[in-house]
Amino acid sequence: GENVEQHPSTLSVQEGDSAVIKCTYSDSASNYFPWYKQELGKRPQLIIDIRSNVGEKKDQRIAVTLNKTAKHFSLHITETQPEDSAVYFCAASRRREKLTFGTGTRLTIIP
Amino acid sequence: DAGVTQSPTHLIKTRGQQVTLRCSPKSGHDTVSWYQQALGQGPQFIFQYYEEEERQRGNFPDRFSGHQFPNYSSELNVNALLLGDSALYLCASSQQGAETQYFGPGTRLLVL
């Protein structure tokens, strides 16, 4: 089955700097890669996703890149703000099937 | 437009008991997936329901069972509870044919 690895497990950045979180996946048939943000005690919220026919996607300060050959994808957050502090999860799936999640990255923005 | 809702929000049970958790999908969604999230870990897939049938199942024992009703709402049942079943149980809904899954707020289960 699919295995998703996520790094780093914790990340602290100064407010205004950029943050990068990286994930690798094992199943070459996976074609959908969402990123979720989970604040303490809250539900995971979808922040951005990418499909395998696209190499990069951007939404304001958030961007995701996908390298299908290397089977890795990354989340980039620019101009970080205190409200970006949360746990971020990457995930992978085949079309319409289960999501396999990474282990999460705790991002802390230092004011 | 209501999002995904779950009940109850919190639950305390003792070992050996049985529990039923409930989920109502987002309006217009017909597929429900259940995940278990242990403290400090990512969600783990339990199973997915579509057209009232279990379509896909993760690596969970038969003590975990589910049901989907004609109105697309769903239940997760766990029998013979173990201490290790303590976790946040998340329901996610999606539209058939679409990959995007939206999560509910979860039910936090504590087994003593």
Side-chain angles (χ1 to χ4, degrees):
Chain A
E2 175 68 278
N3 182 52
V4 177
E5 295 188 357
Q6 183 172 347
H7 300 281
S9 57
T10 60
L11 180 61
S12 295
V13 301
Q14 291 290 139
E15 182 178 352
D17 287 351
S18 295
V20 180
I21 303 170
K22 299 182 179 182
C23 289
T24 60
Y25 61 99
S26 61
D27 185 355
S28 57
S30 288
N31 56 11
Y32 175 65
F33 307 93
W35 286 88
Y36 287 86
K37 174 184 180 182
Q38 189 174 30
E39 297 177 66
L40 190 63
K42 301 285 185 66
R43 72 185 76 193
Q45 286 197 306
L46 179 70
I47 57 172
I48 196 166
D49 56 11
I50 192 167
R51 289 165 179 81
S52 58
N53 59 345
V54 176
E56 183 174 357
K57 184 177 178 180
K58 188 174 182 180
D59 182 5
Q60 299 183 332
R61 299 186 296 109
I62 295 173
V64 57
T65 59
L66 171 65
N67 183 326
K68 286 170 51 180
T69 303
K71 289 190 281 189
H72 68 69
F73 55 113
S74 300
L75 177 71
H76 304 252
I77 305 174
T78 59
E79 302 172 9
T80 53
Q81 301 169 3
E83 54 264 37
D84 294 330
S85 293
V87 178
Y88 291 80
F89 291 98
C90 63
S93 78
R94 299 185 179 192
R95 182 168 173 79
R96 299 190 304 276
E97 295 188 1
K98 65 175 183 177
L99 291 173
T100 299
F101 283 84
T103 49
T105 296
R106 182 173 300 280
L107 175 63
T108 302
I109 307 302
I110 305 166
Chain B
D1 176 25
V4 182
T5 60
Q6 292 185 245
S7 63
T9 56
H10 295 82
L11 206 51
I12 300 175
K13 292 286 187 178
T14 56
R15 281 179 297 174
Q17 285 190 311
Q18 177 265 344
V19 68
T20 298
L21 311 181
R22 296 176 176 82
C23 171
S24 290
K26 186 177 169 65
S27 178
H29 287 188
D30 54 11
T31 302
V32 173
S33 301
W34 286 92
Y35 294 83
Q36 180 196 67
Q37 186 176 25
L39 201 60
Q41 297 183 22
Q44 298 290 315
F45 175 76
I46 303 174
F47 41 53
Q48 183 181 83
Y49 276 84
Y50 171 67
E51 290 189 337
E52 302 180 49
E53 291 193 357
E54 183 183 288
R55 186 165 71 177
Q56 193 180 14
R57 188 178 183 91
N59 189 25
F60 278 80
D62 292 345
R63 298 188 297 109
F64 290 76
S65 63
H67 188 77
Q68 185 179 35
F69 299 95
N71 67 352
Y72 308 120
S73 66
S74 177
E75 288 182 349
L76 164 65
N77 300 291
V78 187
N79 294 323
L81 284 167
L82 304 174
L83 296 180
D85 294 331
S86 295
L88 179 67
Y89 288 85
L90 294 162
C91 164
S93 74
S94 57
Q95 284 182 311
Q96 173 61 10
E99 297 101 337
T100 306
Q101 296 187 24
Y102 296 90
F103 283 86
T107 294
R108 189 163 296 281
L109 173 64
L110 177 61
V111 182
L112 301 176

